Amino acid sequence: KCCYGLCIDLIKLLSRDIGFIPVIETIQGGRAGSFKNGKWTGLIGEVVAGNADMAMSSISITSQRSKFVDFSEPFIHTGSTILVAKRHGSFKGDGFLKPFKVSAWLLIFAVLYLVAVVVLLFESHNPGLQRQKHRNYRGEFDIHQSVWLMFSRFFSGILNAPIPRFVSSRVVLSSWSFATLMIDALYTANLAAFMVLQDQAHYIDGINDSRIQNPLASVLKFTTIRDTSVEKYFKINFPHVYSFMRNYRFNHSSEGVRAVKEGYVIVIDAFIWESATMERYVANDTRCSLLTVGKLFDTSGFAAAFPKGSPWTRNISDFILKYQQTDVQGELRDKWQK
């Protein structure tokens, strides 16, 4: 009666089918544990010390843990994933500039001024300038009027400057007008895509995303849970990422999820943790504001841990495999992830 969940249901099934009476005890924090100062803490520590015949929780199978305990067959296959929250209303004041890069904007306006100069040259150095008379011409065509004409065409504004008088100038202006139509179409499409992306979430392309691999060069805040196999994965494989995440670590997965969703304690953009747990949080999110992104990495599984040489290891493993073949395990997973 002390607790409930997938592991408790699995223990009840095993006790019924194998024929043992479980005495379930919990430890403070309920975490798998870590290896510190030559000693294991948490659930693994209880098994190694001989205080428990079996430990069952979200204990990932790792090579380091396998040196001290025996593992059963995995009852859940999992890995690590990235959890983010959908961001609504995050379109900032400078969002209208986002469809194009800065270099693209500079190129567009450089071409605009270049076209304005070309039109002015055609107007002021045309051989027919002195011979042709224009009754409707309102003053000289200068650089200011030429630039304003280009901006008017670019923004589809009302022309309040004299249009070019000569065919060569008008051909250049027509070419610029056609180019602005193409630019407007690209801008509109990119702006729509950008606004949809802003409304959905921070798009992170998995563990190899440049913002994950180069955290100091981005504004993305992300982390995991301290003293866990996920944290150790980063410590071994990506020490620079591990150093960054140490500034935001949490003690429990619920804290990380709340930080992503509600800004609990601190506001973070992404929370990295085991996929099985993250899928449960996503499934139970009534506001549908959470989602996982990217591919799984550091794939492993949750398994029961036993003292080295325990006779229970083989027996428990056989029944776990049997449950998987008869889909009993799948029914338990579906029950607790809804």
Side-chain angles (χ1 to χ4, degrees), residues 76-83 205-208 233 272-279 292-300:
I76 289 182
H77 293 277
T78 184
S80 298
T81 189
I82 303 173
L83 182 80
D205 190 21
I207 190 64
N208 294 318
Y233 169 82
I272 304 174
W273 190 233
E274 293 160 338
S275 61
T277 305
M278 294 295 94
E279 289 171 3
T292 56
V293 294
K295 296 181 180 180
L296 292 183
F297 62 94
D298 190 26
T299 55
S300 180

Side-chain angles (χ1 to χ4, degrees), residues 198-219:
Q198 288 292 304
D199 187 56
Q200 285 185 347
H202 290 283
Y203 180 75
I204 303 173
D205 190 21
I207 190 64
N208 294 318
D209 191 287
S210 60
R211 290 167 293 177
I212 298 289
Q213 294 298 322
N214 300 289
L216 297 179
S218 71
V219 296

Side-chain angles (χ1 to χ4, degrees), residues 258-271:
R258 286 182 62 188
V260 169
K261 190 175 179 180
E262 305 170 2
Y264 172 75
V265 182
I266 60 173
V267 178
I268 61 173
D269 302 305
F271 178 56

Side-chain angles (χ1 to χ4, degrees), residues 82-276:
I82 303 173
L83 182 80
V84 298
K86 298 178 182 178
R87 305 295 187 186
H88 298 286
S90 58
F91 192 77
K92 298 181 180 179
D94 61 347
F96 70 95
L97 297 174
K98 298 298 184 181
F100 293 145
K101 294 182 178 179
V102 175
S103 57
W105 282 116
L106 293 176
L107 179 61
I108 289 172
F109 286 107
V111 172
L112 184 150
Y113 280 97
L114 178 62
V115 173
V117 171
V118 171
V119 170
L120 178 64
L121 291 176
F122 281 154
E123 283 292 288
S124 58
H125 294 81
N126 195 288
L129 180 62
Q130 300 298 327
R131 299 191 303 269
Q132 188 176 3
K133 295 182 179 180
H134 302 276
R135 296 178 180 178
N136 297 327
Y137 178 57
R138 299 172 296 168
E140 294 295 333
F141 194 87
D142 57 23
I143 184 62
H144 301 290
Q145 293 170 330
S146 183
V147 170
W148 181 248
L149 178 61
M150 299 307 120
F151 271 104
S152 296
R153 289 298 175 93
F154 183 71
F155 292 108
S156 301
I158 299 175
L159 301 179
N160 57 359
I163 62 174
R165 293 161 289 172
F166 301 106
V167 175
S168 57
S169 304
R170 293 185 178 184
V171 169
V172 175
L173 180 61
S174 298
S175 300
W176 171 246
S177 299
F178 179 77
T180 59
L181 290 177
M182 299 297 101
I183 294 173
D184 287 344
L186 287 173
Y187 177 84
T188 303
N190 290 346
L191 180 63
F194 174 76
M195 293 180 68
V196 169
L197 182 61
Q198 288 292 304
D199 187 56
Q200 285 185 347
H202 290 283
Y203 180 75
I204 303 173
D205 190 21
I207 190 64
N208 294 318
D209 191 287
S210 60
R211 290 167 293 177
I212 298 289
Q213 294 298 322
N214 300 289
L216 297 179
S218 71
V219 296
L220 193 75
K221 292 182 180 179
F222 58 92
T223 190
T224 185
I225 301 177
R226 66 177 74 245
D227 300 329
T228 58
S229 59
V230 177
E231 185 185 59
K232 187 164 186 180
Y233 169 82
F234 282 96
K235 185 176 182 179
I236 295 175
N237 297 283
F238 307 104
H240 62 292
V241 179
Y242 164 75
S243 298
F244 174 82
M245 292 195 302
R246 292 186 65 183
N247 299 319
Y248 310 105
R249 293 180 301 174
F250 294 102
N251 294 315
H252 193 271
S253 60
S254 61
E255 296 177 355
V257 173
R258 286 182 62 188
V260 169
K261 190 175 179 180
E262 305 170 2
Y264 172 75
V265 182
I266 60 173
V267 178
I268 61 173
D269 302 305
F271 178 56
I272 304 174
W273 190 233
E274 293 160 338
S275 61

